[in-house]
Amino acid sequence: MDIEPLSIANLPKMAEIWEKTLNWQPTNLQENQFQQLYQLIIAGNRQINLTRITEPEEFWEKHLWDSLRGIAPKQIFIPGIDRGKRIIDIGTGAGFPGLPIALIFPNSQVTLLDSTGKKIAFIETVLSALALNNAKTLLGRAEEIGQQYEHRQNYDVAVIRAVGNVSVCAEYSLPLVRKGGLAIIYRGSWSEAENESLETAVEQLGGAVELIEEFSTPWSNSMRHCLYLRKVTNTPISFPRGVGIPSQKPI
């Protein structure tokens, strides 16, 4: 896919907010890469439906900040994420949260999984444009990838955002995570009923709910949640179930 960069507005810097909320700030190189990523997404939107989030402040908050906020407690929950962890982003779409994660953790290996060939082709152009050598794409369905030897229980961290209900997300992600690893589910709203459903599903999948974190976004003050699931034992071979079954018949 050929993408012609557009002349567009600059993303906000937000140095104080990065520092206050994540105890971190991007380097000048990372700032430039974020801007280049933004330009590529906007340009790619002319050819394929990637995102409705295109305004600079909204893009910064909902695609960059939100992607990285999910792994903010990295020193507590993901020790050594900056030293060679294997990460998979399930249903990456336009590349979130996986691309920002790959940009700030160059020593980790990030796999960007999606079932839509056009989106995978777009991400390939982004990886080339940003010279991101620590990320690669994977075309396929999570139900099938989770049963493949080279991927099953092979990742230290799985991230999944805006893909199905919570038990579906757990079934997609936990089979891919090694024992002791972590699945991170990004959510908007959250309820007690969903919590009960999650605990039931996670127990069957060999995991445990380690933390449900509630926070608000810094620009629009929207409520967000991140669910941290620890893999405590091997996932039964019956999971993930066949293509379409998790969403049709959630655990």
Side-chain angles (χ1 to χ4, degrees), residues 155-158 174 177-183 229-232:
Y155 296 92
D156 301 293
V157 181
L174 279 171
V177 176
R178 65 168 177 80
K179 187 177 178 180
L182 196 69
L229 314 179
R230 183 71 65 184
K231 183 73 166 281
V232 295

Side-chain angles (χ1 to χ4, degrees), residues 8-242:
I8 60 172
N10 290 328
L11 292 170
K13 296 294 185 181
M14 302 292 194
E16 292 184 3
I17 295 179
W18 281 124
E19 187 65 39
K20 181 179 179 180
T21 57
L22 272 65
N23 193 31
W24 170 86
Q25 288 187 33
T27 63
N28 288 336
L29 172 61
Q30 289 165 339
E31 288 275 13
N32 291 334
Q33 289 174 318
F34 286 162
Q35 179 66 29
Q36 190 176 2
L37 174 60
Y38 177 47
Q39 292 176 312
L40 290 166
I41 293 284
I42 298 303
N45 250 354
R46 294 181 300 169
Q47 302 178 33
I48 178 176
N49 182 25
L50 295 169
T51 180
R52 293 173 294 177
I53 300 167
T54 57
E55 292 301 314
E57 291 81 6
E58 190 179 20
F59 185 94
W60 176 87
E61 179 185 68
K62 295 184 178 178
H63 280 327
L64 298 179
W65 183 89
D66 185 74
S67 292
L68 299 180
R69 179 60 180 79
I71 57 166
K74 57 184 181 295
Q75 297 306 321
I76 301 173
F77 301 105
I78 320 173
I81 192 173
D82 55 344
R83 297 192 301 276
K85 293 296 184 183
R86 293 162 298 178
I87 303 166
I88 185 166
D89 176 9
I90 301 166
T92 187
F96 302 102
L99 285 175
I101 291 172
L103 282 170
I104 73 163
F105 294 119
N107 294 321
S108 287
Q109 298 298 314
V110 180
T111 298
L112 302 154
L113 168 64
D114 204 89
S115 61
T116 303
K118 288 184 178 180
K119 291 181 179 178
I120 289 295
F122 167 76
I123 293 172
E124 289 281 358
T125 66
V126 172
L127 298 182
S128 177
L130 297 178
L132 265 180
N133 299 320
N134 65 320
K136 62 182 180 180
T137 60
L138 179 61
L139 177 63
R141 293 289 298 261
E143 300 98 323
E144 295 174 333
I145 299 299
Q147 291 289 357
Q148 294 177 5
Y149 175 80
E150 63 268 36
H151 297 290
R152 185 177 179 86
Q153 302 188 150
N154 186 55
Y155 296 92
D156 301 293
V157 181
V159 293
I160 183 166
R161 188 174 84 153
V163 179
N165 72 32
V166 69
S167 63
V168 175
C169 290
E171 186 169 353
Y172 285 169
S173 58
L174 279 171
L176 291 165
V177 176
R178 65 168 177 80
K179 187 177 178 180
L182 196 69
I184 306 173
I185 302 176
Y186 291 62
R187 306 295 289 181
S189 61
W190 187 245
S191 68
E192 185 59 35
E194 287 178 301
N195 188 49
E196 293 176 6
S197 171
L198 175 66
E199 290 185 349
T200 299
V202 168
E203 185 176 359
Q204 294 184 57
L205 295 164
V209 179
E210 186 154 305
L211 175 70
I212 297 177
E213 189 176 26
E214 179 181 287
F215 53 91
S216 58
T217 60
W219 184 66
S220 63
N221 202 35
S222 302
M223 188 58 64
R224 296 286 291 159
H225 295 79
C226 274
L227 321 177
Y228 298 87
L229 314 179
R230 183 71 65 184
K231 183 73 166 281
V232 295
T233 189
N234 290 340
T235 301
I237 194 63
S238 55
F239 298 109
R241 293 168 292 167

